[in-house]
């Protein structure tokens, strides 16, 4: 040990202090706290007024950080920009060996001091070498007693930098391990979230529910203060889902051509925003007046851009999003884009089927009116015209025939009106409306019929009654037109709080049907819109059984009959 040359009590005390410091330093794992402790200990052991640690950059040719001790805030402000490793400080970068100077200003490499810099003469510097590579340098200036730094100070700094190297290496390794642990934890979380999205797509294709799942999971993944989903519609992005404490108008939109989000989507690349002005729109217009940073990640599936995820600010934390946040959100966005694309495709398919079913229904009513009512009215007109030209007795007979024909036409129009919206459904409820419907449709087709109603003394909500009536109406129409049946049974009862409606015939059965036409598609759509379920299957004794459950789980709202 260097202190064996003398038994000076001060040197012995300094050695003991260094040993104690070594134990303390190697147990400190926070790098910032560790560097502060090194600086204060160096000043204490050498009597230096000022101490500093310069941390080299990745290329090891200048200082990336410069931490000081002994300077108050006023002095730091007066000095201005911190040194980058020129002049005497650069000697330890180019030649990493300890150096002592009587007066730093007299050295040939000295750059001098900037205005406002406190006077500094004596100087002592030593490199901090970690695993054979210079990590940084320790600088000391101005001994408090006015003397130069001596051999004991040099020995002290040598031991101190060795302890510092070990402690800094430990802290760095811990920091790297912690960062890798956080990155792994985040990756696992992202994978878990992506699996949740994939599972949701497999079991649910409802776009609003998919979007709600995506927006909440994505916000948690990157710790965003708020996260928005914008979906592409033509030449603009429209708000689709929001998570966080923001008040975004439900009709908010962004232009694709002139917004940062639009360009990110068209270019299929993520964009990190450090300042809100870079968004090229005013966030206050979208309920986000305090935005400081943003991360925009496109939702791209098989080359098609469907929208963007837009995260704003770290919740409760300063600073913007980093590379890790971007990687995590991009990995998540890949699964999210698949989910959105699938849900939108299903939604578009449902819409096409619904439109087709509605058009089929319109054509049906058009045929009913044209083939029956309008033709009969045309015949009635001819009959009346003939009566005007006939003698009194033939004219009376013709008018009586026309009146009877008019009664038939009125009955036909009433039947059409009843099919469109039966008054009994509004005035009396589902049970009477179903009985009337079965009597009219089955009776008119010569079918034996039976109606079993078990609804008690309650009225279902109007929307539920309408769906049940329309499904029964379409099912009965299919029985008459396609089943070749002799009888039909309609039941409606409450089960576990929910409505169960069945229409069962004794016809040829679903295997003999030509496939699902627009009638069945329309029934399924009505059931889905009411959060219910429709099943078309073979009946227990042959034929076909159409079963409607509204909704499964017993959530049908009811009102007591007055």
């Amino acid at each position: 040990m260097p202190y064996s040359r003398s038994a000076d009590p001060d040197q012995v005390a300094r050695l003991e202090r260094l040993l104690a410091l070594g134990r303390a330093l190697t147990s400190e794992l926070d790098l910032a706290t560790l560097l502060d402790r090194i600086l204060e200990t160096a000043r204490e052991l050498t009597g230096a007024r000022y101490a500093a640690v310069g941390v080299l950059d990745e290329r090891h040719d200048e200082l990336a950080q410069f931490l000081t001790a002994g300077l108050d805030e006023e002095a730091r402000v007066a000095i201005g920009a911190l040194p980058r490793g020129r002049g005497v400080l650069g000697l330890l970068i180019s030649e990493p060996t300890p150096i002592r100077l009587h007066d730093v200003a007299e050295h040939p490499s000295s750059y001098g001091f900037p205005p406002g810099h406190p006077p500094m003469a004596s100087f002592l510097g030593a490199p901090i070498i970690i695993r054979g590579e210079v990590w940084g340098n320790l600088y000391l200036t101005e001994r408090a007693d006015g003397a130069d730094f001596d051999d004991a100070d040099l020995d002290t700094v040598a031991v101190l930098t060795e302890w510092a190297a070990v402690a800094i290496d430990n802290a760095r390794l811990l920091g790297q391990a912690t960062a890798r642990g956080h990155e792994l934890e985040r990756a696992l979380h992202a994978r878990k979230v992506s699996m949740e999205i994939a599972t949701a797509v497999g079991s649910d294709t409802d776009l609003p529910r998919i979007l709600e799942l995506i927006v909440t999971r994505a916000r948690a993944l990157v710790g965003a203060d708020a996260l928005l989903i914008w979906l592409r519609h033509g030449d603009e992005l429209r708000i689709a889902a929001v998570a966080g404490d923001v008040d975004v108008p439900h009709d908010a939109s962004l232009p694709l051509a002139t917004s940062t989000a639009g360009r990110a989507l068209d270019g299929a690349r993520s964009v990190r925003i450090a300042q809100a002005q870079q968004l090229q729109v005013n966030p206050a217009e979208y309920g986000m007046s305090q935005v400081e940073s943003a991360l925009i990640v496109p939702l791209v599936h098989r080359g098609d851009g469907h929208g963007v995820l837009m995260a704003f600010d770290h919740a409760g934390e300063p600073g913007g999003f980093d590379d890790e946040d971007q990687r995590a959100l991009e990995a998540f966005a890949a699964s999210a884009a698949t989910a959105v694309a699938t849900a939108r495709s299903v939604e578009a398919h449902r819409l096409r089927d619904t439109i087709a079913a509605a058009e089929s229904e319109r054509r049906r009513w058009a045929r009913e009116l044209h083939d029956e009512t309008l033709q009969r009215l045309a015949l009635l007109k001819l009959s009346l015209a003939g009566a005007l030209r006939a003698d009194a007795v033939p004219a009376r007979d013709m008018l009586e025939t026309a009146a009877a024909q008019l009664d038939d036409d009125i009955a036909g129009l009433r039947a059409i009106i009843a099919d469109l919206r039966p008054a009994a459904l509004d005035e009396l409820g589902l049970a009477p409306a179903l009985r009337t419907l079965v009597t009219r449709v089955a009776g008119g087709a010569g079918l034996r019929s039976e109606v079993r109603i078990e609804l008690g003394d309650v009225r279902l909500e109007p929307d539920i009654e309408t769906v049940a009536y329309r499904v029964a109406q379409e099912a009965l129409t299919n029985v008459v037109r396609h089943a070749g049946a002799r009888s039909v049974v309609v039941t409606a009862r409450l089960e576990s709080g929910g409505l169960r409606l069945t229409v069962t015939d004794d016809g040829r059965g679903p295997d003999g049907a030509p496939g699902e036409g627009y009638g069945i598609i329309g029934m399924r759509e009505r059931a889905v819109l009411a959060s219910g379920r429709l099943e078309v299957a073979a009946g227990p004794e042959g034929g076909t059984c159409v079963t409607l459950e509204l909704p499964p789980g017993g959530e049908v709202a009811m009102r007591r009959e007055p």
Side-chain angles (χ1 to χ4, degrees):
M1 290 294 290
Y3 295 108
S4 62
R5 296 173 300 185
S6 171
D8 188 302
D10 291 338
Q11 291 184 349
V12 173
R14 185 181 295 194
L15 176 59
E16 292 174 348
R17 181 74 178 92
L18 279 171
L19 291 173
L21 174 66
R23 290 190 292 269
L25 289 181
T26 52
S27 65
E28 178 57 63
L29 298 175
D30 180 72
L31 187 57
T33 303
L34 176 61
L35 293 176
D36 285 340
R37 181 171 292 183
I38 291 171
L39 289 173
E40 291 302 330
T41 303
R43 291 179 62 210
E44 176 187 342
L45 294 178
T46 63
R49 292 180 185 272
Y50 310 108
V53 168
V55 182
L56 298 184
D57 62 10
E58 292 182 355
R59 295 175 307 199
H60 292 75
D61 57 6
E62 67 176 26
L63 300 178
Q65 290 180 273
F66 196 79
L67 311 174
T68 64
L71 292 173
D72 57 25
E73 187 60 31
E74 183 179 350
R76 288 192 183 94
V77 173
I79 291 173
L82 295 175
R84 307 300 296 178
R86 304 293 183 263
V88 175
L89 299 185
L91 288 176
L92 285 170
I93 298 176
S94 60
E95 301 176 17
T97 56
I99 182 174
R100 274 189 301 166
L101 298 175
H102 167 69
D103 189 344
V104 68
E106 295 178 354
H107 195 278
S109 299
S110 176
Y111 268 41
F113 297 109
H117 196 288
M120 295 182 182
S122 57
F123 175 86
L124 173 58
I128 301 174
I129 300 175
I130 300 176
R131 299 176 184 267
E133 186 175 80
V134 179
W135 176 85
N137 298 306
L138 175 63
Y139 310 110
L140 302 169
T141 61
E142 285 296 294
R143 271 185 46 158
D145 58 6
D148 290 341
F149 293 103
D150 56 23
D151 289 339
D153 296 324
L154 186 59
D155 291 340
T156 297
V157 168
V159 174
L160 181 58
T161 54
E162 289 179 3
W163 280 124
V166 174
I168 291 170
D169 192 33
N170 288 343
R172 285 199 314 170
L173 290 174
L174 176 65
Q176 292 169 0
T178 302
R180 284 195 294 270
H182 288 163
E183 186 174 352
L184 179 59
E185 182 180 351
R186 203 162 189 174
L188 290 173
H189 181 60
R191 182 174 178 83
K192 177 184 176 183
V193 171
S194 297
M195 290 179 65
E196 289 178 354
I197 295 294
T199 302
V201 172
S203 60
D204 190 353
T205 54
D206 181 72
L207 183 58
R209 286 197 288 268
I210 292 292
L211 293 174
E212 183 65 24
L213 177 64
I214 291 172
V215 77
T216 53
R217 296 293 194 273
R219 181 193 177 205
L221 183 64
V222 295
D225 193 38
L227 194 136
L228 282 57
I229 297 178
W230 302 81
L231 293 185
R232 185 173 194 164
H233 292 271
D235 59 355
E236 65 181 10
L237 291 166
R238 297 178 189 171
I239 193 67
V242 177
D245 189 17
V246 289
D247 185 19
V248 183
H250 70 279
D251 58 350
S253 63
L254 295 171
L256 270 174
T258 58
S259 66
T260 304
R263 284 199 291 274
L265 180 59
D266 283 343
R269 56 180 177 79
S270 300
V271 176
R272 288 213 303 263
I273 303 296
Q275 296 178 339
Q277 293 87 339
Q278 294 175 279
L279 286 170
Q280 297 181 312
V281 295
N282 183 7
E285 296 179 7
Y286 303 96
M288 298 169 289
S289 58
Q290 302 299 320
V291 168
E292 294 182 359
S293 62
L295 172 59
I296 303 171
V297 176
L299 294 170
V300 179
H301 176 67
R302 295 181 178 176
D304 294 330
H306 290 272
V308 297
L309 301 177
M310 189 179 292
F312 293 101
D313 299 336
H314 275 293
E317 298 179 9
F321 297 96
D322 56 22
D323 291 340
E324 188 178 335
D325 295 317
Q326 182 172 328
R327 285 193 297 270
L329 198 57
E330 285 175 343
F332 173 79
S335 296
T338 302
V340 170
T342 302
R344 294 186 94 181
S345 176
V346 171
E347 190 177 63
H349 183 71
R350 284 176 178 168
L351 180 60
R352 286 194 298 269
D353 285 347
T354 300
I355 292 173
E359 288 301 319
S360 176
E361 189 78 359
R362 291 188 184 98
R363 286 194 293 271
R364 171 188 167 189
W365 294 121
R367 285 195 302 270
E368 294 273 355
L369 291 171
H370 180 271
D371 295 347
E372 296 183 12
T373 305
L374 290 180
Q375 291 186 16
R376 290 172 66 90
L377 288 176
L379 290 173
L380 177 61
K381 177 182 177 180
L382 292 175
S383 297
L384 292 175
L388 291 174
R389 294 190 298 269
D391 295 333
V393 174
R396 180 180 180 85
D397 292 340
M398 295 176 68
L399 289 174
E400 289 177 350
T401 300
Q405 182 179 340
L406 189 58
D407 285 339
D408 290 342
D409 292 340
I410 290 172
L413 285 173
R414 282 176 174 166
I416 291 175
I417 292 171
D419 281 345
L420 290 173
R421 184 68 189 182
L425 188 61
D426 292 327
E427 297 171 3
L428 303 176
L430 181 61
L434 285 177
R435 290 190 179 96
T436 301
L437 174 68
V438 173
T439 299
R440 177 168 56 81
V441 176
L447 296 175
R448 296 190 304 275
S449 63
E450 182 179 355
V451 181
R452 303 168 185 168
I453 305 293
E454 301 175 16
L455 300 180
D457 59 349
V458 300
R459 282 291 303 271
L460 306 180
E461 287 299 316
D463 290 345
I464 297 298
E465 291 187 338
T466 299
V467 170
Y469 182 86
R470 292 301 182 201
V471 168
Q473 182 183 42
E474 187 61 44
L476 286 169
T477 299
N478 287 343
V479 171
V480 171
R481 292 184 176 179
H482 308 299
R486 297 185 302 274
S487 64
V488 63
V489 178
V490 176
T491 66
R493 63 176 181 270
L494 298 178
E495 289 186 355
S496 302
L499 174 66
R500 181 182 176 89
L501 171 76
T502 62
V503 178
T504 306
D505 65 66
D506 60 354
R508 62 174 60 95
D511 292 339
E516 286 200 0
Y518 290 132
I520 294 179
I521 291 173
M523 287 191 288
R524 292 195 189 281
E525 285 297 316
R526 291 183 188 278
V528 169
L529 291 174
S531 300
R533 185 177 69 88
L534 184 99
E535 181 182 357
V536 179
E541 299 178 0
T544 301
C545 179
V546 176
T547 302
L548 171 70
E549 294 179 352
L550 291 175
E555 297 175 359
V556 173
M558 303 174 216
R559 298 166 287 143
R560 286 285 172 185
E561 190 68 52

